[in-house]
Structure formats: C-alpha cells, structure tokens
Amino acid sequence: MASHALPEGFSDFDMFVFGSVLLVGGLLGFFLNFISMLAFLNVKQLRTPSNFFVFSLALADLGLSCNGLTSAYASYLRYWPFGSEGCQIHAFQGLVSILAGISFLGAVAWDRYHMYCTKQKMFWSTSLTMSSIMWGSAMLWAALPLPFIGWGVFDFEPMRVGCTLDYSRGDRDYVTYTLALTVLYLAFPLLIMYSSYSSIYTYFRKVHNFKFNTGLPVKMLLLCWGPYVIMCVYACFENTKVLSPKLRMVLPVLAKLSPMFNASLYAYGNEFYRGGIWQFLTGQRQLEKKK
C-alpha cells in the first residue's frame, strides 16, 4: 500500500481526533435530520408550508453532514482519495448545503415573526417559491468558484481531507467573493433573524407566554459559523498561514457540527414538530392542534 505523508502540522493522533469528531458529529447530524425529514414526509399533520422550511433546513443540514462524513473517512485514511475533481465536487456540495442552510434559518425566523406577530398564514405557493429561490441561489453562488467560472477557488483545507474555498490566496477574486458571501449569507440572514426574534420576544413578553428561547437561534448561528467567517474575512486582509494549521482546522470542523444543533433546535426543540417525530417513530399521535 502506498504511504502518504501527513499534512504539515498534524500528527496521526490529530488526524484520528479530527476524524472522530467529524464522524460523531456527521452521524448525529445525519440521523437527527434524516428522521425529522421522514417524519415530515410521513405524518400528514406536519406537512404545512411553515414546516416545509424546517424540512428544507434539515435537507441542507443532511447534505452538510454527508460532507463531514466524507472528510471523516479521508481522515482515517490519512489522505484524500477522490482526486482533484472529487475535491471540487466536495467543496461545491458543502457550500451549497451551507448557503441553503443559513438561508432557511432566516426563512424560519421570518415565518415565525409572521406567525406570532402579524398572524399572517403561510401559503404553499409562498413557501415553495421562496424555497426554490433559496436553493437556486445557493447553487449559483456555490458554482462561482468552480474552474469553468473561477470567481474564487476551491482547494484543500489544512488537513487535506476535505475541500472548501481557498482562503490562503487573498487575491482580488477571493476578497470580492468572500465579502459578497459574508453580506448575503451571514449579515443579511442575521439581520432578519435578529429583528424577527426581537419582535417575537416583545410579543411573548406582552402576552406573558414564552413558547421558546428567542435568543438561542442567533447565538447558535454565531457560535457555529462566526469564528470560521471571521477567519475567512481576516484572510481578505492578512495572511492566515501565520495561524496554526490546527486552529484553521478547528473552525470548519466546529461549523460542520451545526446540523446536529439545528436539528435539536428547530425540529426536536419545536413541540409541534417533535410530536410529529414521536408519532412517526412510535405510531402514537401526540400532535397539538397549534404550534
């Protein structure tokens, strides 16, 4: 069997630890989101326009979990076995999942604002149209760094067991692409989430009935993606290679754990949706009439 040199700055133990974290996080994220998707498809009461956003979020997170599991497999091999084309596919698939997932976090917040504050009902036409636009936009933006377009470049992460946007270049294409993504897919969704959940908090306080923790969704997004995005933006102005390879690897690994946190918060943390999952798993109907 051919011997493969370890990436610079990583030991066999490091490869095992990072791989194990990606494996556990990927498996948990995969099964939690897969079960919530099956519940949506099989329990009639769950199939509402609002819950379709939660279903779409689970689908995006399922894709990110699979992306992490691929990296976990390569970590145990100690090298990337899928070649340069596999690297491009891996990076594209992961970025589509990330951008779509963050978009649906904003969509869920926007829908909850109307559900509680304006009392406007979501229609299937609105839900399907918005979801189609968000998936299409995610695919478009994720395709831009591919070789046939070349706005930004996909390359290996420091551990060389997965691929992402190459932040080591710091050229004009990287800077413009990264800043555009940061505004469209972090700042804008965060603004929607913050304003929506702040309004919902005000409503809950007024009626003295707090149905869920309105501060947790924004904090969870910032915890999972904030450090990684900060590093990518930092790379627009400074050389990130001065940072430890392990630190540069910890941040994307943390971000790839977001699917299991999102599933816990948006599907299993929602009383109505959780009742549908319970009914799917056990056959015992426990759905409430209202969310």
Side-chain angles (χ1 to χ4, degrees), residues 14-269:
D14 296 329
M15 302 289 284
F16 174 79
V17 170
F18 278 110
S20 297
V21 173
L22 286 167
L23 178 65
V24 173
L27 287 175
L28 284 174
F30 180 90
F31 285 111
L32 287 174
N33 285 288
F34 186 62
I35 291 172
S36 72
M37 289 171 60
L38 289 180
F40 176 87
L41 294 173
N42 286 276
V43 178
K44 183 179 179 180
Q45 292 88 339
L46 276 187
R47 294 197 295 271
T48 67
S50 293
N51 281 339
F52 188 70
F53 284 153
V54 179
F55 170 82
S56 298
L57 172 61
L59 180 59
D61 282 341
L62 188 76
L64 187 56
S65 295
C66 291
N67 189 272
L69 289 172
T70 303
S71 293
Y73 172 71
S75 298
Y76 288 126
L77 292 180
R78 305 296 192 266
Y79 75 101
W80 178 256
F82 305 111
S84 59
E85 289 188 1
C87 175
Q88 298 297 309
I89 294 171
H90 185 256
F92 170 75
Q93 184 270 335
L95 190 53
V96 169
S97 299
I98 292 166
L99 299 183
I102 294 177
S103 298
F104 282 110
L105 292 178
V108 170
W110 175 82
D111 175 56
R112 286 179 171 180
Y113 164 76
H114 286 291
M115 183 187 306
Y116 292 110
C117 299
T118 69
K119 307 300 182 182
Q120 293 182 2
K121 182 180 179 181
M122 172 72 71
F123 295 100
W124 271 111
S125 58
T126 304
S127 181
L128 291 174
T129 300
M130 289 180 62
S131 298
S132 299
I133 291 173
M134 286 186 283
W135 277 111
S137 178
M139 291 179 186
L140 173 63
W141 279 92
L144 294 177
L146 292 173
F148 60 89
I149 301 178
W151 189 18
V153 176
F154 288 139
D155 205 347
F156 289 104
E157 294 174 336
M159 207 164 70
R160 301 190 69 81
V161 294
C163 297
T164 187
L165 187 67
D166 184 4
Y167 50 79
S168 67
R169 294 174 180 259
D171 56 13
R172 184 175 62 181
D173 283 347
Y174 171 81
V175 172
T176 54
Y177 181 74
T178 299
L179 293 181
L181 276 190
T182 301
V183 171
L184 291 175
Y185 283 98
L186 184 65
F188 184 58
L190 267 176
L191 178 63
I192 293 175
M193 293 174 68
Y194 180 78
S195 59
S196 297
Y197 287 118
S198 294
S199 298
I200 294 171
Y201 174 79
T202 301
Y203 170 76
F204 284 170
R205 187 173 59 180
K206 180 180 179 180
V207 300
H208 303 290
N209 183 12
F210 291 86
K211 292 182 178 294
F212 60 87
N213 186 336
T214 55
L216 199 55
V218 171
K219 292 177 182 176
M220 191 66 69
L221 175 60
L222 288 175
L223 173 65
C224 291
W225 288 105
Y228 183 65
V229 172
I230 289 173
M231 182 183 68
C232 291
V233 172
Y234 175 81
C236 293
F237 309 101
E238 299 291 341
N239 184 5
T240 56
K241 290 186 177 180
V242 299
L243 303 175
S244 163
K246 293 179 185 177
L247 174 61
R248 286 185 282 132
M249 196 65 212
V250 166
L251 302 185
V253 169
L254 173 63
K256 288 182 180 180
L257 299 181
S258 60
M260 64 179 185
F261 296 131
N262 287 340
S264 301
L265 183 61
Y266 290 94
Y268 298 86

Side-chain angles (χ1 to χ4, degrees), residues 273-285:
Y273 207 106
R274 185 172 62 246
I277 294 173
W278 177 260
Q279 180 177 333
F280 167 69
L281 293 175
T282 67
Q284 300 178 16
R285 185 171 181 175

